[in-house]
Amino acid sequence: MAEPEVVVTGVGAVSPFGWGVDSLWNGLTSFETAICELELFDVTTQRTKVAGAVPDVPPRGLHSGWIAPAKTRVEQFAFGAVGDALAQANLTNHALESSSVGVFWGSSTGGMLEGEDEFLGSTGAGRRARLVRQPIGAAASALARQYRLRGAVETISSACCASTMSVEAAAMSIRSGEHDVVITGGADSLCRVTYSGFNSLRAVSEEAARPFRSERTGLSLGEGAGALVLESRTHAEQRGARILARLSGAASSCDAYHMTAPDPAGEGVLGAMDQAVNSASLQPNQVGAIIAHGTGTPHNDAAESAALARYFGDRASIPPVLAAKGAIGHLLGAAGGIEAVIAVLCLHHGQVPASVGHGELDPEASVPIGFEPGAHQALVYPSVLSINLAFGGANSALLFTALESR
Amino acid sequence: MTVGAPVVVSGIGTVSAHGVGLDPLESALRAGMPTVQSVDKADGFHPTGSAEFASVIPGDVLKSLLPPRVARRMSPASRMAVGAAMQAVEHSALDVDQLEGPRTAVSLGTAFGTSTFTQNLLQQVAETGPESASPFYFMETVASAHAGQIALALKAKGPNVTVSQREASGLLAVCRGAELIATGAADRVLAGNVDEITPYVHSGLDLFQALARADGDLAERALPFDRRRSGFLAAEGATLLMLEREDLAKARGAAIYARVNSWARGNDPSASAADWGHDAEPLAHRLTERLHQLGAPANSIDRVVSGASGARRGDAMEAATLSAAFRGQAMPEVLAPKASTGEYGGAFLAAAVLSLKGGFWGTGDCAFEADPVFGIELSHGAAMEPVQRTLVTTLAAGGAAAWLVLDRA
């Protein structure tokens, strides 16, 4: 029996541009950056002072709607994005409770922000409440509790590949027949550990990140969530759902090269891309666009562009590339989730937004980003490859295609 | 999930408070006793009257796991993970060279990630400012650092996955590892669990009254399914199973310790964030339905290696789920190794594989007194025959569930 096809029937996002996929898409196509001075916690003694923080986060306990059950900032993002995705998928609570529905979620730091508050002296009253939401898997459990889900609940915490791998795992579970519907993606919030830590590595830019530019000096951190509802195609069609895209390929690999630096040759990410495209029975020249990891660090962008040039034959053959992290920052464990959402939005709009950031393209890391306001690129082939690289050497790739493409 | 390419367990590496390797663990299982140390409460995280013990690895044992040159850039948890991985490789009679490349993957579970280095980093930031933050600490604060270190040590370039779902992390990681082989993404996977129990983690668990307490003459013991249970024993360590495509293992004449028959996952949405729930019937239905679909129906199970840990609500939920899953038939033999291994640290996974061959698992110094509500009798304290099929179970606080069916090779 043929494996079920995996399709996307809902997407949701919470990003530094605001709440919802419209805010995200409008922000990405505005050639503006949402990265600005960070006020979430004290950064006065940090080397850098900017980040992509989510605006208009209501005080916990004082909000309504989908995010009402959330107890931490990261859960607020998760609930916001998943609520939107489920609404778009037109899946009611009753349908979720009565079907075989699982959650495969990605997060790198979970409730670390609240854990820091607790650790840094807020003992006594409230300690228990803060501790209980600190585990990395707490958001996935909270989602499953809220929607009364009885399928698998699994959090993948593979740093910056966490939510890309969670989408891959979700797809695997549909293909195997374990689930008809899966909620997937990931969420992370800014916190002191990552902000201080990336600064300690001198990996953070003092201004908004400028991926693939000659004078790039590092990444910008961000926060938010990206959520997708994946279904077997049969299940989606039987209930008359609107199919947004097909998840046609997914793969991951490891550099086994260095704990924080990518393999300069990009062998690992090249392997993941190749497997993802192969599993979709497509050729490299049928890939319409790339959502790059594109952090803006000298090493990442060089390794990634080298891998892209090798994979597509030469730099001139690389399809349009979006480096979204110059606009929204690096969402760490949520990066792959929100970039998967962006890939689906690119398919929907037939367009690849220009990548915000000033300065000339680095000839040593040259990829075809639209690097001027309004220089959005047309999506010639209806397939978008989203790639991520992570601490520990992990790499992952997801290939989304339009339903009619094969 | 049913197995596509058949998967076997061809090696086990384990590091725990009991010692390094399978022999100390088997001794502990035979005795039915944990190995514990008093927890250092000097940092002031613990309130008065908190639990006293944890199953932690002595510093000299931790140091002995890896050559200093290899260990110098690793957190304690990474040392445990890499040490256990190297043992699993050795136990499987594979050369490290055979693991190099994209067909070897890592799938590691961890409930807490890197506790020591995260605390150290936060303390640096708090006390001397963010400029003093150590890159060395930071690179090991991510939960996936341990899996990354295993990949570096073995040059394993296949998928590198870290799973974190409280008490279910380890078993979910083994399921994910088996899935990677079954779907063709890897030929061999180092799969298992690592966790470290720092005083801070211990105090946090104690705050929720999750840990066993002494009570009168009753020592501070984890007593799974026992009417006197008061909580679990927090344990640190690492256990890695060498999962391998069966045809490859057979072709090289490997010893096979178990065949992975199938696995399943579920959730109990009645669980709170901090505890286990009560909705056992649907969870049991999920389990039996999946096992039936996967060709391992409940009536084919000979033995259950339960994740019951002595947790008050957790064991009640586990007992109710098992009772519902095996309703209408005799309950298989039930083992609860967490009386000896404690919760976390992964030694439970090694015990589950070892259980297939039978033997004798002791009752320790607290004779089992069954909770009359459960109707679960443990098979500890009597000689056990080898069995063909074992169901391994884990329910996590927060609701996640994982089940693995192992067959005797």
Side-chain angles (χ1 to χ4, degrees), chain A residues 45-47 104 118 120 127-128 132 137 141 144-145 149-151 154-158 165 176 178-179 197 200 254, chain B residues 1 45 126 130-131 133 138 157-158 160 162-165 176 200 203 208 265-267 269 271 273-274 279 282 286:
Chain A
T45 58
Q46 297 274 3
R47 190 178 61 86
F104 289 83
E118 196 283 320
L120 296 172
R127 186 181 179 209
R128 189 180 154 111
V132 72
S141 288
R145 189 177 312 115
L149 307 182
R150 300 190 184 280
E154 184 172 315
T155 301
I156 291 180
S157 189
S158 296
M165 287 186 180
S176 73
E178 183 181 16
H179 298 104
S200 77
C254 184
Chain B
M1 173 69 194
F45 296 125
E131 281 295 310
F138 178 57
K157 298 185 177 181
N160 192 277
T162 296
V163 178
S164 187
Q165 204 67 50
R176 177 135 311 286
Y200 181 70
S203 75
F208 291 96
R265 298 169 276 222
N267 182 60
D279 217 355
R286 170 93 186 162

Side-chain angles (χ1 to χ4, degrees), chain A residues 334-348:
Chain A
I338 205 157
E339 286 159 11
V341 170
I342 292 169
V344 174
L345 294 175
C346 287
L347 284 169
H348 174 72

Side-chain angles (χ1 to χ4, degrees), chain A residues 109-135:
Chain A
T109 55
M112 179 69 81
L113 180 69
E114 288 76 8
E116 291 167 350
D117 292 341
E118 196 283 320
F119 185 79
L120 296 172
S122 307
T123 53
R127 186 181 179 209
R128 189 180 154 111
R130 282 187 291 273
L131 276 175
V132 72
R133 297 292 180 164
Q134 189 180 333

Side-chain angles (χ1 to χ4, degrees), chain A residues 265-292:
Chain A
E267 289 283 351
V269 70
L270 193 149
M273 286 192 291
D274 190 39
Q275 284 180 57
V277 175
N278 267 338
S279 62
S281 301
L282 294 181
Q283 299 299 314
N285 63 7
Q286 292 174 294
V287 175
I290 305 287
I291 311 298

